Amino acid sequence: MSRNLADPLISQPCLDEAPDGSPSPSHSVPPDRSIVLVGMPGAGKSAIGRRLAARLGLPFLDADTEIENAAGLTVAEIFTRYGEAHFRDGERRVIARIAAGPPVVLATGGGAYVDPRTRQALREAGALTLWLRADIPALKRRIAGRSNRPLFIGQDPDEVLHNLMAARARFYAEADLSLDCGEDTPEETTLRVEQAIAGWQPPARLPVALSANPYEVVVGSGLLPRAGGLLAPHLPSRRVAVVSDAAVAALHLPTLRAGLAEAGFEIRAEVTVPPGEGSKRLSVLEDVLERILAAGTDRGTTVIALGGGVVGDLAGFAAAVALRGLPFVQMPTTLLAQVDSSVGGKTGVNLRAGKNLAGAFHQPRIVLADTGTLSTLPLRELRAGWGEVAKHGLLQGPLWDWCEAHGPAAMQGDPAALRHAVLESCRLKAGVVVADEREEAPEGGRALLNLGHTFAHALEAECGYDGTLLHGEAVAVGLGLAAALSARLGHCSQEWPGRVMEHLSMVGLPARLRDLPRGFSAEALIGRMHKDKKVRDGALRFVLMRGAGAVFTTAEVPPAAVEALLRDEGAE
C-alpha cells in the first residue's frame, strides 16, 4: 500500500545566516496556507510578520491597517464613535475575508482571536495560527509611548496588560503553534517562527460522521500539551473530570494538567484506578462515579478518559450513566486504544459471566490520539496493540499488505509507521461505525470488527482478567484460530492460517493457543463462547475470512469443528 508516511505540508527552509549574523532570505517553498499571528498587544506581531513574509515570499497584511483602510477611520476613531462590539464585528469580517483568499502572513489585533467566530473562520479557512507569547514586563516595554491604543488611553498599562492576559490567554491557547518571544530580537524571533512553521505537522483529523453525534478523531504527536486548545471548540464548558490509571497518570497527567490549565480549564476531579483489566468492574465503576459526583460535577462537566482501553471503557460508561449522561472525551495512550477501543462509543465493564456484558453506547465529543505517548509503552503493551492493527488489516485488505511490510518497524517504535497504523485503523473503524453505529446490522457491519474476538474473549474470561493475557494478545491468538477455522471450513485457502500466524509471530505476539503460558480446556472455552454477547438463539456466531479484505459473519459453524480445532491447537 503506497503512501507517504511523513505527509509533509511545508518544506524545510534554508536557515543559513548573512555575514552580519541576521537571517538570510529563505529559499523554502512558501506555505500553501495563510500564517496568522495572534497574541497580546506588544507581542511583536507586525514586526515579526513583516520579516516572516519577506522570508517566505508571501504578502504581509496587518488586520488593523486593513480595517482602517476599509472604514476610512483609525481604530481609535472606530472605538470612540461606534464602540468595541462594532469594531470586533468588522474585524472578524475582514480577517475571514483575508484568510479565505490566497496565502498571506497576517498580523491580528490583540483581541481578534478572542472572538469565537474569528477562530472558527480561521479554522475553516485552514490558516496556520501562531501565538507569539511574551511576559508582562516585555509587553509593557514594547507598548511604551503608544498611547493611541484604545484600550490603554487614560489607563495604567501594567493593570490593563494583566487584565488582558488573564482574559485572553485561554483563547490564544487554541492556536496551532505557540512561541515565546519575550527577550529575543525581531530577527531572532522571525527565524524561530520560520523553523517552527517548517517543522509543524498538523494532526490528522478523521470525521466520524454519525447523523446524531458526529465527532473527530485527531491523530498526531504532541497533542496532550495542547489539549485545552484542541478541546475547547468541542465542549460545552471548560470544566472537566479526568479518569486515568495510576501508571498512565504518573506519566502523562502532569502534561495534560498543564495543557488544560493554559486554556483556562478547571479540573473538578482527578480519579485514578489500578492498571489492568481488573478495574473494569462494577465496584470500580461505582467508586469512579462517587468521586466524580462528589467533586461538584454538573451536566456541563466533561469526563476525560486518559489511558488505555480499560480506562476508556470504564470512564465512558461512567460518563454515560452519571447524571444520565455527561460529555465525554477519549485521550487514548496505548496503541490498542488508539487504533480500536477509543473510536465507536462502546463503553462498559466486565461481569463474572463474561467480558463487556454491562455497558452502553456513548459517543465521545472528540478523540485525541497523541501518538507521542506510544514511546512510553512497554514493548509487550505495544505488541498487544498490534493485534488490533493486524485485525484491521485483515478486514481492509491493502492494510494487511502494509502490516506485513512495516509491522517490525512499528514494533521498533518507528513514529511514521505507528502514525500510519493509527490513522488507517481509525479510518477503517470510523467508516464501519458510521454505517452501523449500534451493531444492529444482522450481517456484516460493525460485527465484522469482532474478527478473532469470539475466541479472544473466551480466553480472557478463562484467565480471569488477571493480566496474564492482554486483550491484544488474546486477539492475536483469536485471529490465528479464526483463519484456521475458515480454512478448515473451506472459506479460504490453506495458506492463510500460516500467513496470519507467521506475521503475528514476527512482531512478537502469541499466534497459537500453544504459545500461551497456560493450558485451556476446550469444553470450558466453548462454554465461555456461548455466553458471548454475539450469541443469537443459542447459536455461536463467528467472523470468518475468505482472504484479506473479504470477511463475513456466520452462525453456520459446526460446534464439533470448533472443538476439534481447539484440541488440535493444544486445548485439553
Side-chain angles (χ1 to χ4, degrees):
M1 184 176 186
S2 62
R3 187 181 293 271
N4 183 350
L5 295 181
D7 293 333
L9 291 186
I10 303 172
S11 61
Q12 292 288 336
C14 177
L15 298 177
D16 53 328
E17 293 185 344
D20 63 358
S22 62
S24 66
S26 172
H27 301 293
S28 63
V29 177
D32 61 357
R33 64 188 68 209
S34 288
I35 311 298
V36 180
L37 304 180
V38 305
M40 290 281 288
K45 300 183 293 293
S46 295
I48 304 305
R50 289 189 182 90
R51 290 169 171 81
L52 181 65
R55 288 185 59 80
L56 296 178
L58 292 176
F60 170 74
L61 295 176
D62 183 287
D64 283 353
T65 301
E66 294 299 307
I67 293 166
E68 291 177 338
N69 291 340
L73 298 169
T74 66
V75 170
E77 289 171 334
I78 297 172
F79 264 73
T80 300
R81 291 191 189 184
Y82 303 108
E84 183 175 0
H86 179 86
F87 172 78
R88 295 301 177 199
D89 186 62
E91 180 182 52
R92 172 186 57 80
R93 287 185 278 109
V94 167
I95 291 174
R97 171 178 55 79
I98 293 170
V104 299
V105 175
L106 175 65
T108 63
Y113 205 61
V114 175
D115 188 325
R117 296 172 300 172
T118 298
R119 298 196 300 276
Q120 181 63 24
L122 291 173
R123 281 192 290 267
E124 291 176 353
L128 192 166
T129 50
L130 190 147
W131 175 16
L132 290 178
R133 308 171 63 150
D135 58 21
I136 298 296
L139 295 173
K140 188 175 178 181
R141 288 195 304 272
R142 291 174 183 174
I143 66 167
R146 302 188 206 175
S147 58
N148 62 327
R149 291 175 179 258
L151 296 178
F152 292 87
I153 295 174
Q155 303 294 322
D156 175 12
D158 192 75
E159 181 180 353
V160 172
L161 286 171
H162 275 93
N163 290 339
L164 289 178
M165 183 75 83
R168 293 177 175 179
R170 65 178 188 161
F171 301 111
Y172 296 151
E174 294 185 34
D176 297 306
L177 293 168
S178 65
L179 188 76
D180 292 318
C181 60
E183 303 303 325
D184 291 344
T185 66
E187 289 75 17
E188 291 169 335
T189 300
T190 301
L191 181 57
R192 291 174 57 221
V193 167
E194 187 179 12
Q195 290 172 322
I197 293 170
W200 180 66
Q201 185 177 27
R205 294 176 178 270
L206 300 174
V208 184
L210 298 170
S211 58
N213 300 295
Y215 58 94
E216 284 185 328
V217 180
V218 184
V219 180
S221 184
L223 302 186
L224 288 186
R226 296 185 53 228
L230 291 166
L231 293 181
H234 303 273
L235 303 184
S237 78
R238 300 196 185 215
R239 300 184 300 277
V240 299
V242 180
V243 179
S244 188
D245 72 44
V248 172
L251 289 170
H252 302 301
L253 187 52
T255 302
L256 176 59
R257 279 196 204 108
L260 292 171
E262 183 176 63
F265 277 77
E266 175 193 357
I267 301 179
R268 288 281 178 92
E270 292 180 358
V271 181
T272 57
V273 300
E277 194 77 18
S279 285
K280 280 182 59 172
R281 292 182 287 122
L282 286 172
S283 60
V284 178
L285 173 68
E286 181 180 11
D287 181 60
V288 169
L289 287 169
E290 295 284 4
R291 292 166 67 184
I292 288 175
L293 295 174
T297 295
D298 57 27
R299 293 292 295 274
T301 303
T302 297
V303 176
I304 295 176
L306 176 70
V310 168
V311 166
D313 286 357
L314 178 67
F317 195 16
V321 298
L323 302 178
R324 294 188 174 87
L326 298 179
F328 172 50
V329 168
Q330 286 271 20
M331 292 189 187
T333 59
T334 66
L335 181 60
L336 189 146
Q338 289 187 5
V339 302
D340 186 58
S341 60
S342 63
V343 180
K346 282 187 177 181
T347 70
V349 295
N350 304 327
L351 303 178
R352 285 192 298 272
K355 187 177 175 72
N356 296 329
L357 293 184
F361 286 96
H362 191 54
Q363 299 293 348
R365 293 294 182 95
I366 189 172
V367 178
L368 297 186
D370 186 343
T371 54
T373 63
L374 301 181
S375 65
T376 67
L377 280 181
L379 181 57
R380 185 187 176 199
E381 291 278 358
L382 189 68
R383 287 170 171 166
W386 195 259
E388 292 287 359
V389 177
K391 179 198 77 177
H392 291 146
L394 290 170
L395 293 176
Q396 195 249 22
L399 181 59
W400 172 256
D401 296 330
W402 182 89
C403 285
E404 289 184 309
H406 297 278
M411 293 302 93
Q412 291 170 9
D414 181 83
L418 288 171
R419 182 177 187 271
H420 185 78
V422 174
L423 266 174
E424 294 307 314
S425 290
C426 289
R427 197 187 312 278
L428 168 79
K429 187 160 187 185
V432 173
V433 168
V434 168
D436 183 20
E437 178 181 357
R438 302 178 71 86
E439 201 168 348
E440 294 171 332
E443 299 293 336
R446 192 161 176 165
L448 296 177
L449 295 170
N450 288 307
L451 178 64
H453 282 57
T454 301
F455 292 108
H457 287 168
L459 292 168
E460 289 181 274
E462 275 298 284
C463 290
Y465 313 113
D466 61 0
T468 60
L469 182 64
L470 300 179
H471 176 67
E473 295 169 337
V475 169
V477 174
L479 292 176
L481 290 169
L485 183 59
S486 299
R488 286 189 176 212
L489 297 177
H491 297 302
C492 70
S493 67
Q494 297 299 314
E495 72 166 305
W496 273 109
R499 187 172 170 181
V500 170
M501 293 176 187
E502 180 182 4
H503 172 67
L504 296 170
S505 295
M506 183 173 61
V507 297
L509 281 166
R512 309 189 72 155
L513 201 57
R514 58 176 61 97
D515 293 337
L516 299 180
R518 54 156 290 180
F520 294 89
S521 158
E523 182 180 357
L525 289 174
I526 292 173
R528 294 286 187 181
M529 293 180 201
H530 276 288
K531 295 178 182 178
D532 190 278
K533 61 182 182 294
K534 296 181 290 299
V535 169
R536 297 290 185 273
D537 298 323
L540 292 177
R541 296 185 66 82
F542 288 88
V543 183
L544 301 179
M545 56 184 291
R546 298 185 178 93
V551 300
F552 62 98
T553 60
T554 181
E556 297 181 1
V557 176
V562 178
E563 182 179 356
L565 172 64
L566 291 173
R567 294 193 185 282
D568 289 347
E569 286 294 311
E572 299 174 354

